[in-house]
Amino acid sequence: MLEPRSGIGYDVHRLVRGDGVWLCGHFIAHTHKLDGHSDADVGLHALTDALLGAIAEGDIGTHFPPSDPQWKGAASHQFVRHAAKRIGERGGKIINVDVALVAESPKIGPHREAMIAAMADILNIAPSRISVKATTNERMGFVGREEGIAAVATASVMVPSDD
Ligand code: MG
């Protein structure tokens, strides 16, 4: 019998001078880039943790240790695909995902549809099952000072009951 499970993920990466940011699998030209071991896509990292959380299989760091050089500069869709594959291997499926980006800049609105299309491709689910939202931090704190971008994600999945 399949039962619903849900997970949450949070991530933040520092902004440094650069040519653009990867957010939710979509590249946006910008005055800064996100700093990190991989491509630092906070949206996909939070999403990966939400998917892994839904099946109680640890977090992105346990599956892809930042100390491992093979993930240096890695495209983060690999992390999401891995989490989705684990759900599939357990006989489950993704019901929906929701990602909230917290950033002062760049503006997310014009890129929302492209982000949803990118994640639909990565997860192999319908775009109608994917939500991307964005808010500023009202110029408060590290996000407000544009020192970094944060993301929160949730995922709902159906998986076979195992107890
Ligand atoms: Mg991260």
Side-chain angles (χ1 to χ4, degrees), residues 14-70:
R14 191 182 298 273
L15 282 165
V16 296
R17 289 246 166 247
D19 61 352
V21 293
W22 280 98
L23 287 172
C24 294
H26 173 70
F27 185 78
I28 305 174
H30 190 45
T31 55
H32 289 68
K33 66 174 183 174
L34 287 167
D35 192 32
H37 190 64
S38 64
D39 65 10
D41 187 328
V42 285
L44 293 191
H45 292 186
L47 176 59
T48 302
D49 273 354
L51 293 167
L52 291 172
I55 53 172
E57 290 202 15
D59 62 25
I60 192 169
T62 59
H63 290 258
F64 304 97
S67 56
D68 188 337
Q70 74 170 301

Side-chain angles (χ1 to χ4, degrees), residues 73-148:
S76 296
H77 63 77
Q78 297 171 83
F79 308 146
V80 180
R81 284 184 208 276
H82 172 79
K85 183 160 161 269
R86 285 298 306 137
I87 293 166
E89 285 169 350
R90 288 174 59 148
K93 63 175 188 170
I94 298 164
I95 305 305
N96 76 296
V97 301
D98 191 4
V99 182
L101 299 169
V102 191
E104 298 294 334
S105 67
K107 286 273 168 274
I108 305 300
H111 302 281
R112 182 179 285 121
E113 292 306 315
M115 291 175 177
I116 290 170
M119 290 193 290
D121 182 57
I122 294 166
L123 293 169
N124 196 28
I125 61 175
S128 60
R129 293 179 182 272
I130 299 171
S131 165
V132 175
K133 302 192 253 60
T135 181
T136 70
N137 216 38
E138 296 287 339
R139 307 223 60 93
M140 295 182 292
F142 71 87
V143 169
R145 293 189 296 271
E146 299 190 39
E147 294 168 3

